[in-house]
Amino acid sequence: MIINFRYHIFTITAIFAALGIGILIGSSFVADQGIVEEQKRIITKIGSDINNIKNKNLSLQDKLVELEKEIEYRQKMEKEILSLLLKDSLKEKKYYMVDQGSISLEFKNELKEILNKAGAWINIIDGPINNDDLEGINKVIYWNCDQIKNEAVEGVQQEKYLFYNQEDLLGLILTLLKEEKT
């Protein structure tokens, strides 16, 4: 049987590789007990860190639930107090609001609810107002509609228009109150 030199080299390399791996594994079990202890210590520390993070996460989730409940309560109180403060202050006032897609349905409903409690009427539309539609209307509110500001005001009573560019409901209502007082 003829053994090729290539197989001979491969066999010798495999023997030395197996011998090296055996020595490495054996030395880690027998001689370096310190490495094993260090690895155990690191694993234990990682486990305790994970438990601490889980506990902090649970604590933060509890706080988040509490804060969400508090925000909900404060928003409800704000609506009630605002309704009481506004009661009859905007009585029989009529408003149009021009929305070009930037107002959420929730915001529209909240604005209608607050103004209705204050005795006012509002209609939210998505296009420009004709001069004929202004009869009996106190204000036309353009919500973030700067692009049509110049078109809307040409040849019309400017005091009937309010261009509001903030993002908060309370600010809009306060602006309406200030406008009505002047």
Side-chain angles (χ1 to χ4, degrees):
M1 174 155 98
I2 300 176
I3 299 177
N4 195 342
F5 186 66
R6 213 174 18 178
Y7 293 115
H8 185 64
I9 290 177
F10 178 74
T11 305
I12 292 174
T13 305
I15 290 171
F16 280 110
L19 181 62
I21 292 171
I23 290 172
L24 181 66
I25 291 173
S27 67
S28 71
F29 283 128
V30 177
D32 290 340
Q33 209 47 283
I35 293 174
V36 172
E37 292 300 320
E38 181 66 18
Q39 288 174 345
K40 285 181 184 178
R41 188 187 65 75
I42 290 172
I43 290 171
T44 304
K45 184 171 179 350
I46 289 172
S48 68
D49 288 347
I50 289 173
N51 286 335
N52 288 339
I53 290 172
K54 282 181 184 178
N55 291 337
K56 284 181 183 178
N57 190 16
L58 290 173
S59 172
L60 289 174
Q61 284 177 345
D62 291 342
K63 284 181 183 179
L64 181 63
V65 167
E66 288 175 25
L67 289 174
E68 285 174 344
K69 286 179 182 177
E70 185 176 336
I71 287 172
E72 185 178 325
Y73 171 76
R74 287 177 184 255
Q75 286 175 337
K76 187 186 258 185
M77 290 303 296
E78 180 182 291
K79 275 186 186 177
E80 293 301 318
I81 290 171
L82 188 60
S83 295
L84 291 172
L85 290 174
L86 293 175
K87 186 149 184 78
D88 297 332
S89 61
L90 298 174
K91 192 172 188 172
E92 298 178 11
K93 300 293 182 182
K94 293 184 179 183
Y95 302 104
Y96 271 118
M97 177 177 267
V98 178
D99 168 33
Q100 296 198 321
S102 64
I103 304 174
S104 71
L105 181 62
E106 178 185 343
F107 183 90
K108 289 177 188 180
N109 291 336
E110 191 173 354
L111 178 63
K112 284 180 181 181
E113 178 185 343
I114 290 171
L115 288 179
N116 287 337
K117 285 182 179 179
W121 173 89
I122 187 165
N123 187 16
I124 301 174
I125 60 173
D126 61 358
I129 303 287
N130 295 329
N131 290 341
D132 301 335
D133 295 336
L134 292 176
E135 193 65 37
I137 298 297
N138 295 84
K139 288 280 184 207
V140 177
I141 305 163
Y142 282 90
W143 182 274
N144 292 331
C145 297
D146 282 336
Q147 70 273 12
I148 60 173
K149 181 176 184 177
N150 294 333
E151 299 169 15
V153 178
E154 287 180 14
V156 182
Q157 307 161 347
Q158 290 189 8
E159 67 273 0
K160 287 214 180 233
Y161 287 92
L162 172 65
F163 292 92
Y164 191 75
N165 291 318
Q166 270 69 50
E167 295 293 329
D168 66 310
L169 178 65
L170 185 59
L172 174 63
I173 292 171
L174 290 174
T175 302
L176 284 174
L177 282 171
K178 287 177 189 174
E179 292 276 328
E180 293 303 329
K181 298 241 183 219
T182 58

